Amino acid sequence: MSQFTFDGAPVAFEDGQTVGAALTRAGIRSWRMTRVAGRPRGLFCGIGICFDCLITVDGEPNVRACVRQAAEGMSVTTQHGTGWS
Amino acid sequence: MTRSPDVVIIGAGMVGASCAYAAARAGLNVAVIDRSGVVSGTTGAGEGNILVSDKEPGPELDLAVWSNSIWRDWGDQIGAGPIELEPKGGLVVASQPDGMAALTSLAAAQQAEGIVTEAVSPEALPDLEPRLATGLAGGVFYPQDMQVQPMLAAARLLRAACDKGARILANTELTGLTTADGRLAEVRTTSGPLTARHVINAAGTWGGEVSARMGTPVPVLPRRGFILVTEPLPERFIRHKVYTADYVANVASSDEGLETSTVIESTRSGTVLIGASRERVGFDRALSVPVIRALASGAASVFPVLEKVKVLRVYRGFRPYCPDHLPVIGLDPRIDGVWHACGHEGAGIGLAPATGAMIASLITGGTSPVDPRPFSPERFVS
């Protein structure tokens, strides 16, 4: 099975699976902290509309985990706030 | 039994809210009706421009200057923070020398009218706005320009008016007027008739339709505009309201076709708003990919960093304009007691307080510091 990393730890995924689906199957439910209150967020709508499941992929912030396909060797990291410095 | 209102206001948008607040403060008993709810029409689909910079000398600039000062007062009264009223200033930039020459001459004419303008050399642009593209011909900074969150502002003003006794009747549509001896007697609505001495047409883009139902038609037409909303970015990512010099030409234009100019600003929540397009397509709400593409590429040419920024959503609205590009404000000569307050095009948020203050003052027998005659509905009555 292929793998990417989430905050450095390996996460397995099947071909065609999204980052959000792979994380959820691995038991990870949240991967973003909100910009004002620092509260955890993960999948909400799951279909690309709500922009709640944002995550940073290979340094690119605000990627929707529910629509981005997982790829071998991706470095996925928790997003804090806007993801911009 | 509730007291009959002195004034019935049609429309719970920014102009209706301003009329309500000004009238309630003047001691009038106010009822606001809206066929839907608060900020469900023109205001809810707009931006939040309080600009003096985009107006050439003339009646609209005079109104804008007065309105700008009222905005500051009202911000003090109802709280500038909660309505995101930000006196951040506007920066107009020109990409080419001929655009810069036109901008410089406009700024000189505005300065002669008392507008504060500050010429910005190409070298000084990054100090004001660090993420701007390089190679621009220069700009002019207008410290009086402000921004507000129009939905919050209208809602807060309406609440403040209600604290002074105003009532809001939602889901209530105007059906017509009853007159007696050429004077307003009753405002007929889907929730029943309201006896009133005055009615104010503050229906924004639907002001033409409302005026026709009242039997006092004025020409108010829709001009469609799209706005892009980016992902949230750090605060003050874009520091000022930044737009390109061609915005002024487009605002004044009467062309039928699509016009886009670039207007960019950060909001308190971090999203960046990107406008502004203008098209005369009636009330067609269809999404237009070419317009969105033009807005996005325009924004990226002014702020190259935006190329890497995602657009979360797009919204559109209809800006209400009169054929001569001046709002229609004042007493209708055909039925005593009928007032119009619409047709502000893309400047309604900025011009709303002066519109409300002018009408409230004229209703209560006061005077207006800005000559009301150029805005009078009489120009549409032959």
Side-chain angles (χ1 to χ4, degrees), chain B residues 13-22 24-25 38 70-71 74-75 77-78 83 148 150-164 166 168 349 352-353:
Chain B
M14 192 65 239
V15 173
S18 295
C19 290
Y21 185 62
R25 275 167 52 84
V38 171
I70 304 176
W71 261 120
W74 287 6
Q77 288 161 21
I78 67 167
I83 62 171
V148 73
M151 290 150 269
L152 291 173
R156 292 261 174 175
L157 280 174
L158 283 168
R159 180 186 291 172
C162 289
D163 289 344
K164 297 179 187 303
I168 299 172
I349 305 303

PDB file of all heavy atoms in Angstrom, chain B residues 13-22 24-25 38 70-71 74-75 77-78 83 148 150-164 166 168 349 352-353:
ATOM      1  N   GLY B  13     -32.128  47.523   3.502  1.00  0.00           N
ATOM      2  CA  GLY B  13     -30.708  47.498   3.151  1.00  0.00           C
ATOM      3  C   GLY B  13     -30.010  48.698   3.784  1.00  0.00           C
ATOM      4  O   GLY B  13     -30.536  49.327   4.709  1.00  0.00           O
ATOM      5  N   MET B  14     -28.833  49.001   3.255  1.00  0.00           N
ATOM      6  CA  MET B  14     -28.028  50.069   3.847  1.00  0.00           C
ATOM      7  C   MET B  14     -28.704  51.432   3.763  1.00  0.00           C
ATOM      8  O   MET B  14     -28.693  52.199   4.726  1.00  0.00           O
ATOM      9  CB  MET B  14     -26.676  50.129   3.103  1.00  0.00           C
ATOM     10  CG  MET B  14     -25.640  50.972   3.777  1.00  0.00           C
ATOM     11  SD  MET B  14     -25.175  50.277   5.362  1.00  0.00           S
ATOM     12  CE  MET B  14     -25.619  51.641   6.381  1.00  0.00           C
ATOM     13  N   VAL B  15     -29.326  51.731   2.621  1.00  0.00           N
ATOM     14  CA  VAL B  15     -29.974  53.039   2.484  1.00  0.00           C
ATOM     15  C   VAL B  15     -31.216  53.104   3.373  1.00  0.00           C
ATOM     16  O   VAL B  15     -31.443  54.098   4.080  1.00  0.00           O
ATOM     17  CB  VAL B  15     -30.314  53.334   1.013  1.00  0.00           C
ATOM     18  CG1 VAL B  15     -31.130  54.619   0.896  1.00  0.00           C
ATOM     19  CG2 VAL B  15     -29.037  53.452   0.186  1.00  0.00           C
ATOM     20  N   GLY B  16     -32.023  52.030   3.378  1.00  0.00           N
ATOM     21  CA  GLY B  16     -33.191  52.000   4.247  1.00  0.00           C
ATOM     22  C   GLY B  16     -32.798  52.112   5.709  1.00  0.00           C
ATOM     23  O   GLY B  16     -33.441  52.827   6.498  1.00  0.00           O
ATOM     24  N   ALA B  17     -31.726  51.415   6.094  1.00  0.00           N
ATOM     25  CA  ALA B  17     -31.251  51.462   7.478  1.00  0.00           C
ATOM     26  C   ALA B  17     -30.786  52.869   7.841  1.00  0.00           C
ATOM     27  O   ALA B  17     -31.047  53.363   8.947  1.00  0.00           O
ATOM     28  CB  ALA B  17     -30.117  50.460   7.685  1.00  0.00           C
ATOM     29  N   SER B  18     -30.116  53.523   6.902  1.00  0.00           N
ATOM     30  CA  SER B  18     -29.631  54.888   7.159  1.00  0.00           C
ATOM     31  C   SER B  18     -30.799  55.859   7.283  1.00  0.00           C
ATOM     32  O   SER B  18     -30.794  56.743   8.146  1.00  0.00           O
ATOM     33  CB  SER B  18     -28.710  55.350   6.027  1.00  0.00           C
ATOM     34  OG  SER B  18     -27.539  54.567   5.998  1.00  0.00           O
ATOM     35  N   CYS B  19     -31.791  55.697   6.418  1.00  0.00           N
ATOM     36  CA  CYS B  19     -32.984  56.544   6.517  1.00  0.00           C
ATOM     37  C   CYS B  19     -33.678  56.309   7.866  1.00  0.00           C
ATOM     38  O   CYS B  19     -34.110  57.257   8.527  1.00  0.00           O
ATOM     39  CB  CYS B  19     -33.954  56.243   5.378  1.00  0.00           C
ATOM     40  SG  CYS B  19     -33.390  56.791   3.752  1.00  0.00           S
ATOM     41  N   ALA B  20     -33.757  55.027   8.264  1.00  0.00           N
ATOM     42  CA  ALA B  20     -34.431  54.690   9.514  1.00  0.00           C
ATOM     43  C   ALA B  20     -33.705  55.284  10.715  1.00  0.00           C
ATOM     44  O   ALA B  20     -34.317  55.870  11.616  1.00  0.00           O
ATOM     45  CB  ALA B  20     -34.523  53.168   9.663  1.00  0.00           C
ATOM     46  N   TYR B  21     -32.382  55.150  10.705  1.00  0.00           N
ATOM     47  CA  TYR B  21     -31.592  55.647  11.840  1.00  0.00           C
ATOM     48  C   TYR B  21     -31.675  57.172  11.919  1.00  0.00           C
ATOM     49  O   TYR B  21     -31.912  57.747  12.985  1.00  0.00           O
ATOM     50  CB  TYR B  21     -30.143  55.183  11.684  1.00  0.00           C
ATOM     51  CG  TYR B  21     -29.247  55.537  12.847  1.00  0.00           C
ATOM     52  CD1 TYR B  21     -29.496  55.049  14.122  1.00  0.00           C
ATOM     53  CD2 TYR B  21     -28.143  56.371  12.665  1.00  0.00           C
ATOM     54  CE1 TYR B  21     -28.662  55.372  15.192  1.00  0.00           C
ATOM     55  CE2 TYR B  21     -27.302  56.696  13.718  1.00  0.00           C
ATOM     56  CZ  TYR B  21     -27.565  56.192  14.983  1.00  0.00           C
ATOM     57  OH  TYR B  21     -26.752  56.524  16.034  1.00  0.00           O
ATOM     58  N   ALA B  22     -31.506  57.827  10.753  1.00  0.00           N
ATOM     59  CA  ALA B  22     -31.547  59.296  10.743  1.00  0.00           C
ATOM     60  C   ALA B  22     -32.935  59.803  11.136  1.00  0.00           C
ATOM     61  O   ALA B  22     -33.067  60.757  11.905  1.00  0.00           O
ATOM     62  CB  ALA B  22     -31.155  59.819   9.356  1.00  0.00           C
ATOM     63  N   ALA B  24     -35.277  58.172  12.917  1.00  0.00           N
ATOM     64  CA  ALA B  24     -35.564  57.863  14.325  1.00  0.00           C
ATOM     65  C   ALA B  24     -34.840  58.842  15.238  1.00  0.00           C
ATOM     66  O   ALA B  24     -35.390  59.286  16.253  1.00  0.00           O
ATOM     67  CB  ALA B  24     -35.160  56.424  14.637  1.00  0.00           C
ATOM     68  N   ARG B  25     -33.615  59.188  14.877  1.00  0.00           N
ATOM     69  CA  ARG B  25     -32.864  60.159  15.678  1.00  0.00           C
ATOM     70  C   ARG B  25     -33.495  61.545  15.614  1.00  0.00           C
ATOM     71  O   ARG B  25     -33.339  62.348  16.534  1.00  0.00           O
ATOM     72  CB  ARG B  25     -31.408  60.242  15.193  1.00  0.00           C
ATOM     73  CG  ARG B  25     -30.529  59.165  15.816  1.00  0.00           C
ATOM     74  CD  ARG B  25     -29.193  59.073  15.095  1.00  0.00           C
ATOM     75  NE  ARG B  25     -28.503  60.335  14.954  1.00  0.00           N
ATOM     76  CZ  ARG B  25     -27.728  60.865  15.892  1.00  0.00           C
ATOM     77  NH1 ARG B  25     -27.527  60.244  17.020  1.00  0.00           N
ATOM     78  NH2 ARG B  25     -27.118  62.021  15.674  1.00  0.00           N
ATOM     79  N   VAL B  38     -33.692  41.625   6.432  1.00  0.00           N
ATOM     80  CA  VAL B  38     -32.639  42.632   6.509  1.00  0.00           C
ATOM     81  C   VAL B  38     -31.496  42.243   5.556  1.00  0.00           C
ATOM     82  O   VAL B  38     -31.092  41.083   5.500  1.00  0.00           O
ATOM     83  CB  VAL B  38     -32.141  42.757   7.974  1.00  0.00           C
ATOM     84  CG1 VAL B  38     -30.908  43.627   8.067  1.00  0.00           C
ATOM     85  CG2 VAL B  38     -33.264  43.302   8.853  1.00  0.00           C
ATOM     86  N   ILE B  70     -20.402  61.661   8.160  1.00  0.00           N
ATOM     87  CA  ILE B  70     -21.477  61.041   8.959  1.00  0.00           C
ATOM     88  C   ILE B  70     -21.099  59.609   9.320  1.00  0.00           C
ATOM     89  O   ILE B  70     -21.371  59.152  10.434  1.00  0.00           O
ATOM     90  CB  ILE B  70     -22.825  61.047   8.206  1.00  0.00           C
ATOM     91  CG1 ILE B  70     -23.216  62.461   7.784  1.00  0.00           C
ATOM     92  CG2 ILE B  70     -23.935  60.460   9.081  1.00  0.00           C
ATOM     93  CD1 ILE B  70     -24.494  62.507   6.948  1.00  0.00           C
ATOM     94  N   TRP B  71     -20.474  58.879   8.395  1.00  0.00           N
ATOM     95  CA  TRP B  71     -20.034  57.512   8.701  1.00  0.00           C
ATOM     96  C   TRP B  71     -19.162  57.504   9.956  1.00  0.00           C
ATOM     97  O   TRP B  71     -19.283  56.629  10.817  1.00  0.00           O
ATOM     98  CB  TRP B  71     -19.254  56.902   7.530  1.00  0.00           C
ATOM     99  CG  TRP B  71     -20.069  56.000   6.656  1.00  0.00           C
ATOM    100  CD1 TRP B  71     -20.318  56.142   5.319  1.00  0.00           C
ATOM    101  CD2 TRP B  71     -20.741  54.791   7.050  1.00  0.00           C
ATOM    102  NE1 TRP B  71     -21.108  55.106   4.871  1.00  0.00           N
ATOM    103  CE2 TRP B  71     -21.383  54.265   5.908  1.00  0.00           C
ATOM    104  CE3 TRP B  71     -20.871  54.117   8.259  1.00  0.00           C
ATOM    105  CZ2 TRP B  71     -22.132  53.093   5.933  1.00  0.00           C
ATOM    106  CZ3 TRP B  71     -21.623  52.946   8.299  1.00  0.00           C
ATOM    107  CH2 TRP B  71     -22.239  52.455   7.146  1.00  0.00           C
ATOM    108  N   TRP B  74     -21.415  58.102  12.976  1.00  0.00           N
ATOM    109  CA  TRP B  74     -22.257  56.937  13.267  1.00  0.00           C
ATOM    110  C   TRP B  74     -21.410  55.771  13.791  1.00  0.00           C
ATOM    111  O   TRP B  74     -21.854  54.999  14.628  1.00  0.00           O
ATOM    112  CB  TRP B  74     -23.052  56.524  12.021  1.00  0.00           C
ATOM    113  CG  TRP B  74     -24.170  57.476  11.703  1.00  0.00           C
ATOM    114  CD1 TRP B  74     -24.441  58.676  12.329  1.00  0.00           C
ATOM    115  CD2 TRP B  74     -25.173  57.322  10.697  1.00  0.00           C
ATOM    116  NE1 TRP B  74     -25.547  59.262  11.753  1.00  0.00           N
ATOM    117  CE2 TRP B  74     -26.015  58.462  10.757  1.00  0.00           C
ATOM    118  CE3 TRP B  74     -25.430  56.353   9.743  1.00  0.00           C
ATOM    119  CZ2 TRP B  74     -27.108  58.633   9.901  1.00  0.00           C
ATOM    120  CZ3 TRP B  74     -26.519  56.510   8.890  1.00  0.00           C
ATOM    121  CH2 TRP B  74     -27.352  57.646   8.969  1.00  0.00           C
ATOM    122  N   GLY B  75     -20.183  55.675  13.288  1.00  0.00           N
ATOM    123  CA  GLY B  75     -19.270  54.658  13.809  1.00  0.00           C
ATOM    124  C   GLY B  75     -19.020  54.876  15.293  1.00  0.00           C
ATOM    125  O   GLY B  75     -19.009  53.933  16.091  1.00  0.00           O
ATOM    126  N   GLN B  77     -21.096  56.328  17.277  1.00  0.00           N
ATOM    127  CA  GLN B  77     -22.355  56.138  18.014  1.00  0.00           C
ATOM    128  C   GLN B  77     -22.718  54.665  18.175  1.00  0.00           C
ATOM    129  O   GLN B  77     -23.165  54.252  19.246  1.00  0.00           O
ATOM    130  CB  GLN B  77     -23.497  56.870  17.290  1.00  0.00           C
ATOM    131  CG  GLN B  77     -23.407  58.389  17.409  1.00  0.00           C
ATOM    132  CD  GLN B  77     -24.225  59.099  16.331  1.00  0.00           C
ATOM    133  OE1 GLN B  77     -25.138  58.524  15.743  1.00  0.00           O
ATOM    134  NE2 GLN B  77     -23.889  60.353  16.072  1.00  0.00           N
ATOM    135  N   ILE B  78     -22.555  53.878  17.126  1.00  0.00           N
ATOM    136  CA  ILE B  78     -23.003  52.475  17.231  1.00  0.00           C
ATOM    137  C   ILE B  78     -21.831  51.508  17.364  1.00  0.00           C
ATOM    138  O   ILE B  78     -22.034  50.314  17.543  1.00  0.00           O
ATOM    139  CB  ILE B  78     -23.894  52.053  16.033  1.00  0.00           C
ATOM    140  CG1 ILE B  78     -23.094  52.032  14.723  1.00  0.00           C
ATOM    141  CG2 ILE B  78     -25.106  52.961  15.895  1.00  0.00           C
ATOM    142  CD1 ILE B  78     -23.843  51.326  13.585  1.00  0.00           C
ATOM    143  N   ILE B  83     -18.937  46.835  13.248  1.00  0.00           N
ATOM    144  CA  ILE B  83     -19.360  46.930  11.850  1.00  0.00           C
ATOM    145  C   ILE B  83     -18.149  46.932  10.899  1.00  0.00           C
ATOM    146  O   ILE B  83     -18.297  47.134   9.705  1.00  0.00           O
ATOM    147  CB  ILE B  83     -20.262  48.166  11.586  1.00  0.00           C
ATOM    148  CG1 ILE B  83     -19.533  49.474  11.863  1.00  0.00           C
ATOM    149  CG2 ILE B  83     -21.540  48.081  12.422  1.00  0.00           C
ATOM    150  CD1 ILE B  83     -20.314  50.715  11.412  1.00  0.00           C
ATOM    151  N   VAL B 148     -16.308  49.263   5.123  1.00  0.00           N
ATOM    152  CA  VAL B 148     -17.208  48.814   6.181  1.00  0.00           C
ATOM    153  C   VAL B 148     -17.774  47.460   5.753  1.00  0.00           C
ATOM    154  O   VAL B 148     -17.796  47.136   4.562  1.00  0.00           O
ATOM    155  CB  VAL B 148     -18.334  49.855   6.407  1.00  0.00           C
ATOM    156  CG1 VAL B 148     -19.353  49.852   5.274  1.00  0.00           C
ATOM    157  CG2 VAL B 148     -19.032  49.656   7.746  1.00  0.00           C
ATOM    158  N   PRO B 150     -20.918  45.881   5.056  1.00  0.00           N
ATOM    159  CA  PRO B 150     -22.215  46.531   4.869  1.00  0.00           C
ATOM    160  C   PRO B 150     -23.384  45.807   5.533  1.00  0.00           C
ATOM    161  O   PRO B 150     -24.321  46.455   5.999  1.00  0.00           O
ATOM    162  CB  PRO B 150     -22.386  46.573   3.347  1.00  0.00           C
ATOM    163  CG  PRO B 150     -21.447  45.556   2.800  1.00  0.00           C
ATOM    164  CD  PRO B 150     -20.320  45.436   3.778  1.00  0.00           C
ATOM    165  N   MET B 151     -23.307  44.486   5.596  1.00  0.00           N
ATOM    166  CA  MET B 151     -24.421  43.748   6.200  1.00  0.00           C
ATOM    167  C   MET B 151     -24.477  43.991   7.700  1.00  0.00           C
ATOM    168  O   MET B 151     -25.535  44.246   8.268  1.00  0.00           O
ATOM    169  CB  MET B 151     -24.284  42.262   5.880  1.00  0.00           C
ATOM    170  CG  MET B 151     -24.548  41.996   4.407  1.00  0.00           C
ATOM    171  SD  MET B 151     -23.647  40.601   3.724  1.00  0.00           S
ATOM    172  CE  MET B 151     -22.162  41.365   3.124  1.00  0.00           C
ATOM    173  N   LEU B 152     -23.293  43.944   8.337  1.00  0.00           N
ATOM    174  CA  LEU B 152     -23.246  44.229   9.774  1.00  0.00           C
ATOM    175  C   LEU B 152     -23.675  45.661  10.044  1.00  0.00           C
ATOM    176  O   LEU B 152     -24.401  45.942  11.002  1.00  0.00           O
ATOM    177  CB  LEU B 152     -21.824  44.012  10.307  1.00  0.00           C
ATOM    178  CG  LEU B 152     -21.331  42.566  10.352  1.00  0.00           C
ATOM    179  CD1 LEU B 152     -19.854  42.532  10.741  1.00  0.00           C
ATOM    180  CD2 LEU B 152     -22.158  41.758  11.343  1.00  0.00           C
ATOM    181  N   ALA B 153     -23.208  46.581   9.205  1.00  0.00           N
ATOM    182  CA  ALA B 153     -23.506  48.001   9.431  1.00  0.00           C
ATOM    183  C   ALA B 153     -25.004  48.265   9.314  1.00  0.00           C
ATOM    184  O   ALA B 153     -25.590  48.954  10.164  1.00  0.00           O
ATOM    185  CB  ALA B 153     -22.724  48.860   8.440  1.00  0.00           C
ATOM    186  N   ALA B 154     -25.633  47.717   8.266  1.00  0.00           N
ATOM    187  CA  ALA B 154     -27.068  47.957   8.088  1.00  0.00           C
ATOM    188  C   ALA B 154     -27.854  47.343   9.247  1.00  0.00           C
ATOM    189  O   ALA B 154     -28.780  47.956   9.788  1.00  0.00           O
ATOM    190  CB  ALA B 154     -27.537  47.383   6.747  1.00  0.00           C
ATOM    191  N   ALA B 155     -27.458  46.129   9.640  1.00  0.00           N
ATOM    192  CA  ALA B 155     -28.177  45.461  10.728  1.00  0.00           C
ATOM    193  C   ALA B 155     -28.030  46.225  12.038  1.00  0.00           C
ATOM    194  O   ALA B 155     -29.002  46.401  12.789  1.00  0.00           O
ATOM    195  CB  ALA B 155     -27.663  44.029  10.879  1.00  0.00           C
ATOM    196  N   ARG B 156     -26.825  46.719  12.311  1.00  0.00           N
ATOM    197  CA  ARG B 156     -26.600  47.469  13.559  1.00  0.00           C
ATOM    198  C   ARG B 156     -27.338  48.810  13.558  1.00  0.00           C
ATOM    199  O   ARG B 156     -27.836  49.249  14.595  1.00  0.00           O
ATOM    200  CB  ARG B 156     -25.102  47.704  13.764  1.00  0.00           C
ATOM    201  CG  ARG B 156     -24.336  46.443  14.041  1.00  0.00           C
ATOM    202  CD  ARG B 156     -24.093  46.273  15.520  1.00  0.00           C
ATOM    203  NE  ARG B 156     -23.470  44.989  15.789  1.00  0.00           N
ATOM    204  CZ  ARG B 156     -23.056  44.599  16.991  1.00  0.00           C
ATOM    205  NH1 ARG B 156     -23.193  45.403  18.030  1.00  0.00           N
ATOM    206  NH2 ARG B 156     -22.513  43.422  17.152  1.00  0.00           N
ATOM    207  N   LEU B 157     -27.357  49.458  12.389  1.00  0.00           N
ATOM    208  CA  LEU B 157     -28.081  50.734  12.303  1.00  0.00           C
ATOM    209  C   LEU B 157     -29.571  50.508  12.517  1.00  0.00           C
ATOM    210  O   LEU B 157     -30.245  51.300  13.187  1.00  0.00           O
ATOM    211  CB  LEU B 157     -27.846  51.414  10.954  1.00  0.00           C
ATOM    212  CG  LEU B 157     -26.529  52.173  10.797  1.00  0.00           C
ATOM    213  CD1 LEU B 157     -26.379  52.653   9.356  1.00  0.00           C
ATOM    214  CD2 LEU B 157     -26.453  53.359  11.759  1.00  0.00           C
ATOM    215  N   LEU B 158     -30.087  49.410  11.939  1.00  0.00           N
ATOM    216  CA  LEU B 158     -31.510  49.111  12.129  1.00  0.00           C
ATOM    217  C   LEU B 158     -31.798  48.812  13.599  1.00  0.00           C
ATOM    218  O   LEU B 158     -32.809  49.250  14.150  1.00  0.00           O
ATOM    219  CB  LEU B 158     -31.919  47.929  11.250  1.00  0.00           C
ATOM    220  CG  LEU B 158     -32.105  48.268   9.765  1.00  0.00           C
ATOM    221  CD1 LEU B 158     -32.226  47.002   8.928  1.00  0.00           C
ATOM    222  CD2 LEU B 158     -33.337  49.159   9.555  1.00  0.00           C
ATOM    223  N   ARG B 159     -30.892  48.094  14.245  1.00  0.00           N
ATOM    224  CA  ARG B 159     -31.087  47.809  15.668  1.00  0.00           C
ATOM    225  C   ARG B 159     -31.081  49.118  16.471  1.00  0.00           C
ATOM    226  O   ARG B 159     -31.917  49.318  17.353  1.00  0.00           O
ATOM    227  CB  ARG B 159     -29.992  46.880  16.175  1.00  0.00           C
ATOM    228  CG  ARG B 159     -30.167  46.559  17.651  1.00  0.00           C
ATOM    229  CD  ARG B 159     -29.014  45.761  18.187  1.00  0.00           C
ATOM    230  NE  ARG B 159     -28.986  44.411  17.628  1.00  0.00           N
ATOM    231  CZ  ARG B 159     -27.975  43.555  17.821  1.00  0.00           C
ATOM    232  NH1 ARG B 159     -26.940  43.909  18.549  1.00  0.00           N
ATOM    233  NH2 ARG B 159     -28.028  42.357  17.297  1.00  0.00           N
ATOM    234  N   ALA B 160     -30.150  50.000  16.123  1.00  0.00           N
ATOM    235  CA  ALA B 160     -30.085  51.290  16.831  1.00  0.00           C
ATOM    236  C   ALA B 160     -31.353  52.098  16.578  1.00  0.00           C
ATOM    237  O   ALA B 160     -31.850  52.790  17.476  1.00  0.00           O
ATOM    238  CB  ALA B 160     -28.847  52.070  16.380  1.00  0.00           C
ATOM    239  N   ALA B 161     -31.895  52.012  15.349  1.00  0.00           N
ATOM    240  CA  ALA B 161     -33.155  52.711  15.047  1.00  0.00           C
ATOM    241  C   ALA B 161     -34.287  52.101  15.866  1.00  0.00           C
ATOM    242  O   ALA B 161     -35.151  52.825  16.395  1.00  0.00           O
ATOM    243  CB  ALA B 161     -33.458  52.631  13.550  1.00  0.00           C
ATOM    244  N   CYS B 162     -34.286  50.772  15.987  1.00  0.00           N
ATOM    245  CA  CYS B 162     -35.336  50.101  16.777  1.00  0.00           C
ATOM    246  C   CYS B 162     -35.241  50.497  18.244  1.00  0.00           C
ATOM    247  O   CYS B 162     -36.265  50.628  18.930  1.00  0.00           O
ATOM    248  CB  CYS B 162     -35.231  48.585  16.624  1.00  0.00           C
ATOM    249  SG  CYS B 162     -35.720  48.005  14.984  1.00  0.00           S
ATOM    250  N   ASP B 163     -34.018  50.713  18.734  1.00  0.00           N
ATOM    251  CA  ASP B 163     -33.850  51.187  20.114  1.00  0.00           C
ATOM    252  C   ASP B 163     -34.508  52.550  20.304  1.00  0.00           C
ATOM    253  O   ASP B 163     -34.847  52.925  21.422  1.00  0.00           O
ATOM    254  CB  ASP B 163     -32.359  51.290  20.476  1.00  0.00           C
ATOM    255  CG  ASP B 163     -31.715  49.918  20.624  1.00  0.00           C
ATOM    256  OD1 ASP B 163     -32.463  48.918  20.741  1.00  0.00           O
ATOM    257  OD2 ASP B 163     -30.465  49.840  20.601  1.00  0.00           O
ATOM    258  N   LYS B 164     -34.648  53.288  19.205  1.00  0.00           N
ATOM    259  CA  LYS B 164     -35.320  54.591  19.265  1.00  0.00           C
ATOM    260  C   LYS B 164     -36.760  54.496  18.802  1.00  0.00           C
ATOM    261  O   LYS B 164     -37.369  55.499  18.418  1.00  0.00           O
ATOM    262  CB  LYS B 164     -34.553  55.621  18.432  1.00  0.00           C
ATOM    263  CG  LYS B 164     -33.149  55.882  18.965  1.00  0.00           C
ATOM    264  CD  LYS B 164     -32.393  56.889  18.125  1.00  0.00           C
ATOM    265  CE  LYS B 164     -30.936  57.001  18.566  1.00  0.00           C
ATOM    266  NZ  LYS B 164     -30.776  57.367  19.985  1.00  0.00           N
ATOM    267  N   ALA B 166     -38.128  52.475  16.226  1.00  0.00           N
ATOM    268  CA  ALA B 166     -38.484  52.016  14.878  1.00  0.00           C
ATOM    269  C   ALA B 166     -38.937  50.559  14.922  1.00  0.00           C
ATOM    270  O   ALA B 166     -38.589  49.804  15.832  1.00  0.00           O
ATOM    271  CB  ALA B 166     -37.283  52.164  13.941  1.00  0.00           C
ATOM    272  N   ILE B 168     -39.485  46.956  12.390  1.00  0.00           N
ATOM    273  CA  ILE B 168     -39.150  46.318  11.114  1.00  0.00           C
ATOM    274  C   ILE B 168     -40.210  45.271  10.817  1.00  0.00           C
ATOM    275  O   ILE B 168     -40.525  44.439  11.669  1.00  0.00           O
ATOM    276  CB  ILE B 168     -37.758  45.657  11.167  1.00  0.00           C
ATOM    277  CG1 ILE B 168     -36.687  46.708  11.453  1.00  0.00           C
ATOM    278  CG2 ILE B 168     -37.452  44.939   9.848  1.00  0.00           C
ATOM    279  CD1 ILE B 168     -35.314  46.129  11.713  1.00  0.00           C
ATOM    280  N   ILE B 349     -23.344  52.161  -0.336  1.00  0.00           N
ATOM    281  CA  ILE B 349     -22.909  52.021   1.054  1.00  0.00           C
ATOM    282  C   ILE B 349     -22.285  53.339   1.516  1.00  0.00           C
ATOM    283  O   ILE B 349     -22.597  53.851   2.584  1.00  0.00           O
ATOM    284  CB  ILE B 349     -21.905  50.853   1.203  1.00  0.00           C
ATOM    285  CG1 ILE B 349     -22.495  49.552   0.650  1.00  0.00           C
ATOM    286  CG2 ILE B 349     -21.457  50.706   2.650  1.00  0.00           C
ATOM    287  CD1 ILE B 349     -23.807  49.118   1.256  1.00  0.00           C
ATOM    288  N   ALA B 352     -25.039  56.218   1.695  1.00  0.00           N
ATOM    289  CA  ALA B 352     -26.274  55.981   2.446  1.00  0.00           C
ATOM    290  C   ALA B 352     -26.496  56.953   3.610  1.00  0.00           C
ATOM    291  O   ALA B 352     -27.595  57.504   3.739  1.00  0.00           O
ATOM    292  CB  ALA B 352     -26.321  54.528   2.935  1.00  0.00           C
ATOM    293  N   PRO B 353     -25.499  57.185   4.479  1.00  0.00           N
ATOM    294  CA  PRO B 353     -25.772  58.077   5.611  1.00  0.00           C
ATOM    295  C   PRO B 353     -26.213  59.481   5.190  1.00  0.00           C
ATOM    296  O   PRO B 353     -27.167  60.025   5.758  1.00  0.00           O
ATOM    297  CB  PRO B 353     -24.436  58.113   6.362  1.00  0.00           C
ATOM    298  CG  PRO B 353     -23.812  56.793   6.055  1.00  0.00           C
ATOM    299  CD  PRO B 353     -24.176  56.543   4.612  1.00  0.00           C
TER     300      PRO B 353
END
